[in-house]
Amino acid sequence: MAIIGGAWTTNVIWSLRAGPRRFSELRIDIPPVSPKVLTTRLRELEQRGVIVREVKPTSPPSVEYSLTPLGARLVPAIEAIVDVGHKLKHENAAYGSSAQAAEDEGADAPVERKRAV
């Protein structure tokens, strides 16, 4: 868990699952993250062996980030978490709809009160 702990870490891995991305592309993929935090997460993931940072010999030089084999092995775990999240969201939506319907049906029902003895 320490590997994928930290804010935005799973988002970075999720974005890189489709292939190499540049810093600016990751910023577009994950709009709420600040450049400072994204830089920190990328460095941490590189140090942990989850991603690799490759400087391309272009003018000006560009940098691409991609998953290592370890990073690629984390993707199924993140996919499983996403699947559970989607299922819970649908269950909660269904529960919310049925609970609202029950509440609406019960709105006209008389309320039974106990008498004080």
Side-chain angles (χ1 to χ4, degrees):
M1 254 348 234
I3 292 175
I4 60 172
W8 307 110
T9 301
T10 54
N11 299 74
V12 171
I13 296 169
W14 189 253
S15 293
L16 292 175
R17 80 190 188 288
R21 308 289 284 168
R22 292 173 39 197
F23 184 86
S24 59
E25 294 170 323
L26 290 169
R27 287 273 296 130
I28 292 168
D29 291 345
I30 315 167
V33 68
S34 71
K36 179 182 177 183
V37 171
L38 181 56
T39 299
T40 301
R41 292 300 164 254
L42 289 169
R43 287 181 183 154
E44 288 173 356
L45 289 169
E46 185 180 13
Q47 290 171 351
R48 293 176 178 160
V50 176
I51 65 171
V52 64
R53 180 181 186 267
E54 184 181 351
V55 179
K56 298 286 185 176
T58 58
S59 182
S62 62
V63 176
E64 282 188 347
Y65 298 91
S66 57
L67 293 176
T68 63
L70 171 61
R73 287 196 310 259
L74 295 171
V75 172
I78 296 170
E79 285 176 337
I81 293 168
V82 169
D83 288 342
V84 169
H86 286 303
K87 288 177 185 174
L88 290 173
K89 183 177 178 181
H90 289 282
E91 288 174 10
N92 286 340
Y95 174 75
S97 298
S98 62
Q100 183 64 43
E103 189 176 297
D104 290 345
E105 287 177 14
D108 296 331
V111 177
E112 195 174 312
R113 298 180 188 207
K114 293 186 177 183
R115 291 183 155 191
V117 180

